[in-house]
Amino acid sequence: MRLRALGVGLVVGALVAVVVAAASGYFSPRSGGPLGGWNGAGVTYRAAVGETLSWAMPLPDNATTTDVVIDSIAPVGVDGFDVLGVLVSTDGCDVVSTLATAFPPPGVSTVAPQGAILGALSEPCALHVLFGVRRSQASAPGKIMGIRIQYHFGGASYEDVLPWTLEVKEPGT
Amino acid sequence: MRHQQLSDIRADDRSGRRALVNAWPALSSSKERSPMTRRRQAILAPIAVGALLMPMIFPGAAAAEQPDSAWLPEIRASDQVSGPDLIRGRFVDRNGDGVSGRLTVTAWPTQKVLSSLAVGDSVKTSPVGKALAGRDGRFLLRIDPSVPLKEFMDDSGSVDFELTGEAANGERAVFGFPRRFDAEAATAWVEPNWNASQGAAKTLEVTLSADMPRLPVEQAEAPLPAVNKTHIVCDPVIVAHYNDRKGIVGEVYSGPNATADFEYIEGSTSTLGYGASASGSFGSFTSAGTTGGTSTATLSYPLVGRNVKRVWQSSWRYSKMRIYRESNGACVVDRYEVRKTRFDASSYYYDAASAPTADVCSNQLAGQDLTKYQGTAVTFSTGVDVNVGAVGAYLSTRTGFNSSTKIYWHFVTAGKLCGSNTSWPTAARVVGK
């Protein structure tokens, strides 16, 4: 009887530990994966309110011998933009940083980020991320202050924020 | 009695020869002893001979493997303290073979303190850690947590450390490195601009080569020892200043379609090389590592037009210092160093003959501006000229591993931005085309 009570107690204790760990973020993605740790880079462009454009940035190379599988990519610190979508491209370095056209941009082959693979020992520009944005405020530039990437690598989940920015100002400024 | 003699052999920590002398009376009269005694002596003899040969076979063993109570008694050895690792590695001789020896870490004053010193002033340094390298040369150093470090920390918490190694044959090695303690990197001291997003902190690992000869004592000047409460203090003394030594802080290559700009903002970090020499004579200085330090002024460099290949420089005061060591109760000259002691903040430039090779190109539209905060640091191996009238040393600069240096391109017409090793946001060097 005592043994049974002890067993139940242990199970309950383990469950509580799991719940506490989950609540405290123990199982949340790690930072500092193979795509993290880069310094800032930014693009500034000029476009009128209501104009749609695509912003493309080449993701960091995967210098490891293990594939990186993308779970999601999202802009961080969005201000003065309507975000129309996020896609990735494998068209290489020919993708232009800003495309003042539509989104998805014509002439660029794109897929959804989820499940995209940045292969082991990848070549430069192996994977671009493209954001579709439309300026929404006349009084201030549109801004994106970073790019959050969630991905799987080596059996673990990672989340890194690249300090890469977009600023779109009023033409003539 | 014989047991005592055996203990003497094992316990002697400096000289196998002396150990044999201590044991010799017992061995030399073995014919007069009992069989039991002879058996004991048969055991003792090879031990004594081994003790004699040890210093010959392993020259560093006697000095390095036995604790020396006179060696920095105020500092606890690294294997007796806990806390984050500062530096690890291998201590080797001129042939690259591991050697045992004594390793000491010293904290140097901040740039703010050094900048106020005049020729003839002493420089207050402090030993903060020590360790013995084993026969394979392996070592690991931690800071003795009881040693106050705060006065050696700059505003960012970074400390300029200097690791000195002394092999049993007297040859030495010197290696300087800036490091910062960050609570997020609990297991190791980190580079001054490390942050958690850069991944796990890694302990600095070096191969420390003992290739600096010790000056004969008769050639070493011996000032009166300065004595504090516990031990002799042999602080370095400034011998000469060399003002306005130029060092590279950045480069811009605008290309045919863009204008470009470079900013070296207050707080920017440049790691500058320093040199060491046993004799201090002209041309004898070799690279001894780096010192850190942040700029205390923002330097604005003018916008450059198209097709410019510009290398931007700033300037520092370097100082030649005489470094002492304690020897038999006095301070004797150990070596000379030439180190950065002040940020002079002048702006200079020169135009490079050619741009670096950069073949990973991304297309850019006309009217587009791109900004790159310097990511991977670029080391300019001859970045600082401390040659004129001084010591004959060309030392390195390493600039831009924080986010306070930035390069900016404005594409007047459509063009390309090309990275030297990968695409422009993460490339080490970037060239407009």
Side-chain angles (χ1 to χ4, degrees):
Chain A
M1 191 66 177
R2 279 182 186 169
L3 279 176
R4 191 174 173 184
L6 183 64
V8 170
L10 285 172
V11 169
V12 170
L15 284 173
V16 168
V18 168
V19 169
V20 169
S24 64
Y26 184 80
F27 297 114
S28 61
R30 306 174 195 175
S31 63
L35 301 187
W38 295 101
N39 283 70
V43 174
T44 302
Y45 198 64
R46 286 155 187 84
V49 173
E51 190 174 342
T52 296
L53 58 89
S54 300
W55 173 42
M57 290 292 274
L59 291 180
D61 303 341
N62 176 10
T64 74
T65 56
T66 304
D67 287 353
V68 166
V69 181
I70 306 292
D71 294 325
S72 68
I73 301 178
V76 175
V78 179
D79 189 24
F81 278 135
D82 294 327
V83 177
L84 307 176
V86 183
L87 296 168
V88 294
S89 172
T90 56
D91 280 1
C93 290
D94 287 340
V95 178
V96 181
S97 292
T98 52
L99 297 161
T101 54
F103 183 81
V108 179
S109 58
T110 55
V111 295
Q114 187 174 16
I117 294 174
L118 188 54
L121 302 173
S122 64
E123 293 291 317
C125 305
L127 204 60
H128 269 78
V129 57
L130 293 95
F131 295 91
V133 294
R134 183 189 298 127
R135 271 192 69 202
S136 59
Q137 295 175 12
S139 58
K143 290 183 179 177
I144 293 175
M145 300 309 292
I147 301 172
R148 176 179 289 114
I149 308 178
Q150 292 189 326
Y151 54 100
H152 276 81
F153 170 76
S157 296
Y158 288 88
E159 178 181 292
D160 285 308
V161 176
L162 300 171
W164 295 354
T165 63
L166 171 69
E167 182 177 29
V168 178
K169 299 178 179 177
E170 193 66 20
T173 59
Chain B
M1 178 62 187
R2 271 181 215 108
H3 179 74
Q4 179 61 47
Q5 286 165 343
L6 181 61
S7 300
D8 288 345
I9 294 169
R10 287 172 172 162
D12 193 291
D13 64 349
R14 289 190 180 81
S15 166
R17 188 182 302 274
R18 201 169 95 199
L20 184 61
V21 169
N22 287 345
W24 191 251
L27 300 173
S28 61
S29 57
S30 61
K31 285 180 183 174
E32 301 167 11
R33 309 293 168 137
S34 67
M36 177 68 83
T37 303
R38 281 200 291 274
R39 275 199 295 276
R40 284 177 183 165
Q41 288 167 350
I43 296 169
L44 280 172
I47 293 172
V49 171
L52 173 66
L53 295 177
M54 273 293 285
M56 302 174 196
I57 300 168
F58 305 108
E65 291 186 348
Q66 301 291 342
D68 184 343
S69 58
W71 176 44
L72 297 175
E74 71 278 19
I75 303 294
R76 282 187 290 166
S78 290
D79 58 3
Q80 295 169 18
V81 299
S82 57
D85 298 345
L86 178 66
I87 186 170
R88 65 170 69 237
R90 195 158 169 260
F91 190 35
V92 300
D93 62 17
R94 289 170 184 264
N95 300 319
D97 297 325
V99 289
S100 53
R102 292 172 180 160
L103 298 150
T104 307
V105 171
T106 303
W108 277 72
T110 63
Q111 189 172 274
K112 189 175 179 182
V113 172
L114 291 172
S115 66
S116 64
L117 299 178
V119 171
D121 285 350
S122 62
V123 181
K124 186 188 174 190
T125 60
S126 177
V128 294
K130 67 178 184 181
L132 294 173
R135 275 182 210 157
D136 61 357
R138 298 275 171 204
F139 66 86
L140 168 65
L141 270 151
R142 298 189 185 96
I143 301 292
D144 182 343
S146 65
V147 175
L149 259 185
K150 193 169 174 56
E151 67 177 292
F152 299 101
M153 289 181 174
D154 68 14
D155 293 341
S156 70
S158 188
V159 178
D160 275 331
F161 292 107
E162 184 174 63
L163 171 64
T164 53
E166 181 176 3
N169 64 3
E171 292 208 315
R172 288 142 316 126
V174 180
F175 177 71
F177 57 101
R179 272 303 189 258
R180 180 174 62 84
F181 177 68
D182 190 308
E184 286 192 74
T187 59
W189 287 70
V190 294
E191 277 202 5
N193 289 292
W194 177 89
N195 63 62
S197 72
Q198 295 171 356
K202 292 175 183 167
T203 303
L204 178 60
E205 187 152 0
V206 298
T207 299
L208 193 66
S209 181
D211 54 10
M212 185 186 294
R214 167 172 282 181
L215 280 178
V217 172
E218 58 269 24
Q219 290 181 22
E221 300 169 48
L224 291 174
V227 180
N228 73 4
K229 288 177 185 174
T230 56
H231 60 283
I232 293 173
V233 176
C234 298
D235 281 332
V237 171
I238 293 181
V239 177
H241 285 323
Y242 310 113
N243 294 321
D244 213 27
R245 298 295 95 187
K246 296 172 190 170
I248 299 169
V249 295
E251 54 185 354
V252 291
Y253 303 96
S254 57
N257 300 298
T259 58
D261 200 4
F262 175 79
E263 282 184 52
Y264 189 73
I265 303 167
E266 181 172 355
S268 296
T269 301
S270 283
T271 303
L272 277 77
Y274 74 98
S277 160
S279 67
S281 60
F282 186 89
S284 66
F285 284 81
T286 57
S287 176
T290 56
T291 61
T294 53
S295 65
T296 51
T298 295
L299 301 182
S300 297
Y301 293 89
L303 189 77
V304 300
R306 303 189 205 193
N307 289 312
V308 172
K309 300 180 282 288
R310 185 144 295 173
V311 178
W312 295 113
Q313 299 172 300
S314 190
S315 62
W316 289 263
R317 183 185 74 184
Y318 270 70
S319 301
K320 184 178 179 182
M321 300 179 190
R322 191 183 292 129
I323 314 293
Y324 296 97
R325 64 182 159 82
E326 187 271 334
S327 175
N328 295 322
C331 298
V332 298
V333 177
D334 185 73
R335 64 185 182 278
Y336 291 82
E337 290 184 0
V338 57
R339 287 173 159 265
K340 172 202 67 177
T341 52
R342 191 178 67 202
F343 180 49
D344 280 346
S346 302
S347 300
Y348 301 97
Y349 73 88
Y350 65 87
D351 287 329
S354 60
T357 301
D359 296 329
V360 183
C361 298
S362 299
N363 296 314
Q364 310 299 336
L365 296 180
Q368 188 166 272
D369 303 331
L370 294 104
T371 303
K372 178 175 166 54
Y373 292 89
Q374 192 70 311
T376 306
V378 178
T379 300
F380 302 94
S381 58
T382 56
V384 179
D385 169 9
V386 198
N387 191 25
V388 179
V391 297
Y394 289 91
L395 306 168
S396 68
T397 60
R398 187 171 188 250
T399 291
F401 47 41
N402 67 0
S403 57
S404 296
T405 54
K406 71 174 182 180
I407 311 173
Y408 160 90
W409 294 264
H410 171 65
F411 277 83
V412 181
T413 54
K416 294 175 185 289
L417 200 55
C418 303
S420 58
N421 57 332
T422 186
S423 54
W424 71 271
T426 52
R429 305 172 86 178
V430 179
V431 176
K433 291 186 178 177

